[in-house]
Amino acid sequence: MFPFRVRSVRWEASVLAVLGLLGAFVAGAPAAAPSPRAAHVRAVTDVPGTPGSTTPLSAYAIRSTAEVPDAAALVSAPGYRTAGWHPAGSRSTVLAALVADGTHPDPFHSTDQQRIPAADFAVPWWFRAEFTVADTGARTYLDFSGVVSAADVFVNGEQVATASAVAGAYTHHELDVTALVRAGANAVAFRIKPNDPRKNLTMGWLDWLQPPPDQNMGIVRDVLVRRGGPVALRDAHVVTSLALPSLASADLTVKAKVRNETAEAVTAAVSGTIGSGITFRRDVPLRAHETKTVAFTPADTPQLRLERPRVWWPAGMGAQELYELDLSVAVPGAGPSDRTRHGFGVRSVRAPLNKDGARQYSVNGKPLLIRGAGWSPDELLRWDAAYTEDRLAYARDLGLNTLRLEGHLEHDEFFDLADRYGILTLPGWQCCTKWEGAVNGTEAGEGWTAADHPVARASMAAEAARLRDHPSVISFLIGSDFAPNAEIEKGYVDALEAADWPTPVIPAASAKSAPLTGASGMRMPGPYEWVPPGYWYDKREGGATGFNSETSAGPDIPTLDTLRRMMSPAELTSLWKDPAAPQYHRSPSRTYSTLKVYDDALSGRYGPPTGLEDYVAKAQLAQYENVRAQYEAYARNATDASKPSTGVIYWMFNSGWTSLHWQLVDRYLDQNGAYFGAKKANEPLHVQYSYDDRTVAVVNRRTAPVSGLTARVSLFNTDGTRKYDRTVTGLDVGGDGARTTALTVPASVDGLSTTYLARLVLTDADGREVSRNVYWLSTRRDVLDYTESNWYITPTTAYADLTGLRSMARASVSATATTSTGTGTGAGTGAGTGTGAGTGVGAPATSTTVVTVTNTGTGNTPALLTDLHLVDGKDAPVLPVRWSDNQISLWPGESATLTATYRTADLHGSAPRIRISGWNTPTATVPAA
């Protein structure tokens, strides 16, 4: 990660103390620290005088205005006593701080969030901090965004901005407070207004999760104290133009604004470097208080034409090469005046509409199928860099190449990590709130007033300037469910053009259009609720054609370990016994308040659950097959001549809290059937079965073609008796997502039981197994009623019969495991997965456990969906962990060797163990030291 900001030692110490309070949030546990209401809460940041330094305020003292009778001039004066106030981190909502200091219970467990009174957040709250400067020779600015929802701002007893000016979570503000700053202690206070996403251009949670009672009011991005000299340097960025298709050269244009802050004319010397080999400089005359845009182009600076540039590629397509721009300005006689540094990448993104009107992305001239999922931040908007990197490493482990951010546009560090991991991002504004209130008819979100338009334009300008140089960002979606009207769209487009926005602008994530940006090329037909695996293969509704921007089969039931952490015993009983019971951990939406559709399908296909463990086991089977089918169908259809699939966003990748739906990975980073179904479907070289036409295909996501492959397809009754077996040799498949069909399974096979198993094995030219895929299928198919489809579901009128799985004999499985510990290779599970990803000096040590699993049975019965969990001495899962494969199915005599990589410290001093379980495998635990 590039060193964007200079932080003082005192800031580091302060933030470590705050993170000590917040550290429990990943586990969802309440903080152990008692409420310090009787203590004086200190929030002081040392700010250097170095021109170009940007120092975040390290922490705040916060309190409800209902409890603070003093005037703003007193509250914002240096030395004001904050006894009885609450400590808050540098990026914090009100509720995040109150949970961290023990004032309120853990909102992630059971229904404890309902115990937090929403009335406490119906009035403004003070966020107060102090900073010290040794001298006032440098100019001083407050630089910030991320205020939810609006704030009056005060410095040293004086108001410097009103809430009407500081409105909107994404608007950027720079307040020159030089005249107010004094040597020594200085105070800044924000009086934060309550948030209502229906009324404010901020952030909301829609139907994703139970929204926090404070609606995320607070300051959720850094407030920077910026120091500078007589000339300010702003808006620095790099416009890249890559030669296609050769990639042989790239033209760079470096732009920035220089601003004379004095009342006299000056000549500013602007100089810069890119990497270690490119330097440039120019003198810029400026009149008093003049601002000029400076541009260095290959025409006047030939070294900005790169020959054989280091090109940035998405994960799986090449290396994630990054450059760094270092730009500074100086004034003769006054020395350095300002400086900025940040990374950028050289790559090209295009996304024209294909002949069917679908958006088709290409990067560096190579078309790619978008295989993505929807990203969610923490419900309380708490930031944890390691936790974020862990999730991005999981996304890469799953074979995903894209994450969609609908609102909740994350911190700079998120996009830095996405750049390093090669994960493409699709940021955009949020539906069903104020953002679409002017165009969404009767849905949530109030209509716009004249005051909303400048806030929206300023939000777009600020986010465009922040995101444009990140190579991972491949579009901006200015609409989600609805496209903006002409006036709103023009405000957005003008702001994007002014910022030199380099990638396609999409009018909506749904099948809408707008006057300037045209048709979206995307669609949003659902589903969001359970449908059977075969649904995904039809080229209608949400099936595999075009670009589906958000879709899944709804619920994703976590593992037993996670369920027992997040729900009470009574809730767990209700979970499996009562399909019609409202589930607090599903959604606040009445559409999704219960699990009835999902539970009816689970019972109809697999048989009624007999207990919690049986319910969860069936859920893992159902989620594995469904998620796998969704990604496999889109992969199979990507190269079709007619109506090909071009992109799919699984809704969602993760949840911001402890959830029962819309997640490939749960809150605690545990991995269930949904996770491993996605991982299997997205493996680089993959053999797969199609539910609609029974074809067996090989999909190759590697860049190079592969030849000499052999595919073997076997069908078995549930007792393990083989009823069909065919081998096809000499298969060749191209690269970059190409597909070849190996064979078609017969429509009828003599002696095949109603429930049966299909085993697909792909070997390379040397006979090595490169892909194995096992399906549980039925001669009785699921029946869909498309005439009753709506925006969230296509009903199923008859279920496939998978109840035969209940009669499978118990399988005997053994395992041996060994563990080795290495040096630090990364904070996340992405260690060693790509250029620059997961590496760093002082990174935590990692361990690797190698497990060999064998079906030791003497009969024919396979061990179906055998799950391995790495656990510590207390039988608690060690998370995060990256498995080479998991939830595997083995026939008698077969073995598989799997690896698990994880942070050694997450064992908490105990020896590692492997817990083995499966559909028809008794649970056992073996040592792995």
Side-chain angles (χ1 to χ4, degrees):
M1 192 178 299
F2 294 111
F4 292 103
R5 298 178 180 135
V6 178
R7 291 183 168 98
S8 68
V9 173
R10 187 169 180 178
W11 182 89
E12 297 286 359
S14 299
V15 80
L16 287 174
V18 172
L19 289 177
L21 292 172
L22 299 179
F25 91 82
V26 172
S35 176
R37 297 301 299 276
H40 174 58
V41 179
R42 289 183 55 77
V44 184
T45 305
D46 291 332
V47 175
T50 310
S53 65
T54 52
T55 307
L57 295 176
S58 60
Y60 298 94
I62 73 170
R63 197 168 189 182
S64 168
T65 57
E67 299 176 344
V68 180
D70 296 323
L74 290 176
V75 174
S76 61
Y80 178 79
R81 297 290 295 174
T82 53
W85 289 48
H86 303 267
S90 59
R91 306 167 178 176
S92 183
T93 65
V94 173
L95 185 55
L98 301 187
V99 169
D101 76 1
T103 299
H104 289 310
D106 169 26
F108 288 68
H109 178 261
S110 187
T111 58
D112 289 352
Q113 183 166 262
Q114 294 180 321
R115 295 163 49 196
I116 302 172
D120 289 355
F121 314 107
V123 298
W125 278 65
W126 282 112
F127 275 61
R128 187 188 183 281
E130 294 194 4
F131 63 93
T132 62
V133 297
D135 65 82
T136 57
R139 300 191 70 83
T140 305
Y141 312 84
L142 290 181
D143 188 313
F144 60 91
S145 64
V147 174
V148 182
S149 66
D152 298 303
V153 187
F154 304 84
V155 172
N156 291 345
E158 299 289 335
Q159 186 165 7
V160 294
T162 65
S164 61
V166 180
Y170 300 105
T171 54
H172 173 251
H173 307 276
E174 182 181 77
L175 307 178
D176 188 339
V177 295
T178 304
L180 297 175
V181 169
R182 62 194 70 171
N186 296 269
V188 56
F190 292 81
R191 187 164 57 201
I192 309 288
K193 284 192 170 186
N195 182 41
D196 184 342
R198 297 171 302 168
K199 299 178 180 179
N200 309 122
L201 290 169
T202 56
M203 305 176 188
W205 288 104
L206 314 178
D207 47 11
W208 300 7
L209 49 75
Q210 299 289 352
D214 73 335
Q215 295 287 358
N216 294 135
M217 68 184 298
I219 303 176
V220 299
R221 293 181 179 174
D222 287 336
V223 174
L224 304 175
V225 183
R226 183 188 291 271
R227 307 303 299 279
V231 175
L233 185 65
R234 299 290 186 267
D235 200 38
H237 60 286
V238 182
V239 180
T240 65
S241 178
L242 179 63
L244 295 178
S246 69
L247 311 183
S249 64
D251 287 348
L252 309 183
T253 297
V254 178
K255 289 186 175 182
K257 293 178 181 177
V258 287
R259 184 176 71 218
N260 182 4
E261 301 283 39
T262 73
E264 298 179 355
V266 298
T267 298
V270 179
S271 59
T273 64
I274 293 176
S276 58
I278 300 175
T279 61
F280 45 92
R281 184 185 182 281
R282 182 177 303 161
D283 289 337
V284 181
L286 296 167
R287 298 188 301 273
H289 301 297
E290 183 182 14
T291 299
K292 281 185 179 178
T293 296
V294 178
F296 297 88
T297 72
D300 54 50
T301 311
Q303 56 268 41
L304 292 178
R305 168 159 288 178
L306 306 183
E307 301 298 332
R308 296 182 299 278
R310 294 184 287 110
V311 176
W312 185 94
W313 288 95
M317 298 179 70
Q320 288 74 59
E321 300 283 3
L322 294 169
Y323 291 83
E324 184 180 14
L325 170 69
D326 188 337
L327 201 63
S328 61
V329 62
V331 175
S337 186
D338 209 350
R339 184 184 186 188
T340 183
R341 290 174 291 173
H342 72 269
F344 69 95
V346 175
R347 61 92 178 91
S348 169
V349 176
R350 295 178 180 175
L353 302 182
N354 67 14
K355 63 183 178 60
D356 301 304
R359 189 74 58 175
Q360 174 65 70
Y361 278 88
S362 66
V363 176
N364 302 331
K366 282 193 172 185
L368 76 162
L369 172 69
I370 295 295
R371 304 185 309 275
W375 175 268
S376 174
D378 170 59
E379 182 196 36
L380 304 187
L381 302 187
R382 294 167 292 193
W383 173 255
D384 183 290
Y387 183 55
T388 301
E389 183 166 5
D390 289 338
R391 286 177 287 165
L392 286 170
Y394 269 12
R396 182 160 172 157
D397 180 53
L398 287 176
L400 303 183
N401 58 22
T402 305
L403 292 170
R404 180 184 167 209
L405 288 77
E406 184 191 348
H408 299 288
L409 306 184
E410 285 278 26
H411 299 281
D412 295 344
E413 297 96 319
F414 171 90
F415 294 98
D416 296 338
L417 287 166
D419 292 344
R420 289 169 48 201
Y421 276 92
I423 302 297
L424 304 173
T425 61
L426 288 170
W429 302 130
Q430 193 169 35
C431 91
C432 317
T433 61
K434 180 73 169 187
W435 287 101
E436 293 187 351
V439 294
N440 67 4
T442 60
E443 293 195 12
E446 293 188 1
W448 286 25
T449 67
D452 293 312
H453 290 271
V455 172
R457 290 193 296 271
S459 299
M460 187 71 266
E463 290 305 293
R466 192 172 70 92
L467 300 178
R468 62 192 165 194
D469 274 358
H470 287 283
S472 59
V473 178
I474 59 167
S475 276
F476 200 95
L477 280 68
I478 56 176
S480 179
D481 293 27
F482 295 87
N485 63 29
E487 180 183 7
I488 295 172
E489 183 194 26
K490 187 175 189 310
Y492 289 149
V493 170
D494 287 351
L496 287 159
E497 289 179 350
D500 294 322
W501 184 255
T503 60
V505 179
I506 312 298
S510 60
K512 305 289 185 181
S513 62
L516 296 175
T517 49
S520 72
M522 295 185 177
R523 60 198 191 96
M524 195 185 289
Y528 301 90
E529 182 58 278
W530 189 86
V531 290
Y535 170 93
W536 302 106
Y537 294 84
D538 285 342
K539 291 187 177 182
R540 51 180 167 173
E541 299 299 335
T545 182
F547 195 119
N548 195 336
S549 69
E550 50 180 67
T551 187
S552 76
D556 287 305
I557 304 301
T559 63
L560 271 172
D561 293 292
T562 290
L563 287 170
R564 286 169 173 154
R565 292 177 71 176
M566 63 184 262
M567 299 173 76
S568 69
E571 289 169 325
L572 292 175
T573 299
S574 174
L575 178 65
W576 73 270
K577 273 192 171 182
D578 189 356
Q583 295 292 339
Y584 186 71
H585 282 267
R586 186 164 187 209
S587 172
S589 166
R590 285 181 294 177
T591 303
Y592 311 121
S593 62
T594 76
L595 289 166
K596 182 169 173 46
V597 174
Y598 177 84
D599 288 352
D600 286 351
L602 210 62
S603 294
R605 300 174 91 240
Y606 291 97
T610 59
L612 177 64
E613 291 78 5
D614 184 58
Y615 176 82
V616 175
K618 288 171 177 171
Q620 303 319 309
L621 287 169
Q623 288 154 198
Y624 189 106
E625 62 165 342
N626 211 309
V627 175
R628 175 179 59 182
Q630 179 174 334
Y631 282 112
E632 285 182 339
Y634 274 82
R636 187 198 71 175
N637 291 356
T639 54
D640 286 359
S642 175
K643 299 178 67 176
S645 55
T646 62
V648 60
I649 301 295
Y650 186 90
W651 206 248
M652 302 177 63
F653 173 70
N654 67 302
S655 176
W657 79 323
T658 43
S659 179
L660 295 172
H661 80 160
W662 294 351
Q663 55 187 351
L664 294 176
V665 58
D666 71 33
R667 172 68 188 172
Y668 306 117
L669 304 182
D670 206 353
Q671 302 150 320
N672 64 7
Y675 186 99
F676 290 114
K679 182 177 172 69
K680 175 57 63 177
N682 292 319
E683 62 187 353
L685 184 59
H686 181 62
V687 61
Q688 64 184 57
Y689 170 81
S690 299
Y691 283 78
D692 60 340
D693 60 10
R694 307 179 313 284
T695 55
V696 173
V698 177
V699 177
N700 181 23
R701 295 186 182 87
R702 299 172 179 174
T703 56
V706 183
S707 60
L709 298 171
T710 297
R712 183 182 181 184
V713 180
S714 307
L715 304 185
F716 301 85
N717 287 344
T718 52
D719 64 1
T721 305
R722 183 183 284 119
K723 293 297 180 181
Y724 172 86
D725 192 54
R726 186 178 171 194
T727 299
V728 179
T729 61
L731 292 171
D732 300 334
V733 60
D736 296 324
R739 177 195 86 211
T740 189
T741 300
L743 60 92
T744 299
V745 175
S748 176
V749 174
D750 290 342
L752 198 63
S753 54
T754 302
T755 304
Y756 64 98
L757 304 175
R759 182 182 65 190
L760 284 55
V761 178
L762 186 70
T763 53
D764 65 14
D766 295 323
R768 292 173 300 204
E769 184 177 301
V770 291
S771 178
R772 166 184 286 248
N773 209 349
V774 175
Y775 296 78
W776 38 103
L777 303 167
S778 175
T779 57
R780 185 181 305 164
R781 303 182 68 171
D782 297 292
V783 179
L784 289 153
D785 184 359
Y786 282 100
T787 64
E788 294 297 321
S789 292
N790 58 34
W791 64 272
Y792 68 93
I793 191 174
T794 295
T796 304
T797 57
Y799 296 116
D801 185 357
L802 300 173
T803 58
L805 297 178
R806 295 183 297 180
S807 64
M808 290 181 69
R810 301 291 267 178
S812 300
V813 173
S814 68
T816 58
T818 59
T819 297
S820 59
T821 300
T823 57
T825 54
T829 56
T833 57
T835 303
T839 60
V841 177
T846 60
S847 292
T848 299
T849 296
V850 180
V851 188
T852 298
V853 188
T854 305
N855 184 334
T856 57
T858 57
N860 297 319
T861 304
L864 182 64
L865 211 71
T866 302
D867 178 89
L868 305 181
H869 256 69
L870 181 79
V871 296
D872 62 16
K874 298 180 179 179
D875 198 42
V878 177
L879 301 168
V881 60
R882 186 180 77 247
W883 284 97
S884 58
D885 197 4
N886 209 325
Q887 297 198 348
I888 58 174
S889 298
L890 298 173
W891 269 251
E894 290 185 331
S895 296
T897 298
L898 314 177
T899 61
T901 306
Y902 51 96
R903 287 187 287 258
T904 307
D906 290 338
L907 286 166
H908 306 295
S910 67
R913 302 189 302 161
I914 298 295
R915 186 208 299 156
I916 309 164
S917 62
W919 173 252
N920 59 328
T921 305
T923 300
T925 303
V926 300

